[in-house]
Amino acid sequence: MDLKKYFKKGPLIPAIVQEDSTGEVLMLAYMNKESLQKTLATGYTWFYSRSRKQLWNKGETSGHVQKVLSITGDCDNDTLLIRVIQTGVACHTGNKTCFFNEIW
C-alpha cells in the first residue's frame, strides 16, 4: 500500500481513535509515515509525539493498549479514523476518553 498520499500536505496526519463497540471517540493523536507503518505491521496503535519528537506505542507503559480493527482515510486523505478495541482507559489523565471537558 502506498502511504505517501496521506502525507502530501505535511509529515504528520491527525488520527481520530474510536472505540469500535460503542462508536465513542477516545482520542486524537498524530501519525507520521513510520508510526502508521508500525501500526499496520503490529496491529496496535503507534503515534508520533509532537512534544517529545518521537514515536510512542499507546499503552506500552500503562497496558492500556489499542488493538486496531480498521483504519480509514477521509475524502481528502488528510485525516485517519482508527477503530480499536481499547483495553483500559484511553486518556493519560485516567479518563476513558480524552474528550471530557464540556464547553457547551
Side-chain angles (χ1 to χ4, degrees), residues 48-98:
Y48 182 80
S49 170
R50 296 179 301 164
S51 59
R52 295 181 310 222
K53 299 186 182 348
Q54 66 182 36
L55 295 182
W56 60 282
N57 175 229
K58 178 65 178 161
E60 184 174 37
T61 56
S62 68
H64 298 167
V65 297
Q66 297 172 335
K67 173 72 174 142
V68 176
L69 299 180
S70 68
I71 302 175
T72 309
D74 76 339
C75 58
D76 295 322
N77 294 323
D78 62 4
T79 304
L80 300 175
L81 176 63
I82 305 175
R83 294 184 63 95
V84 303
I85 297 172
Q86 175 71 48
T87 300
V89 299
C91 187
H92 73 282
T93 65
N95 286 287
K96 180 179 179 186
T97 172
C98 293

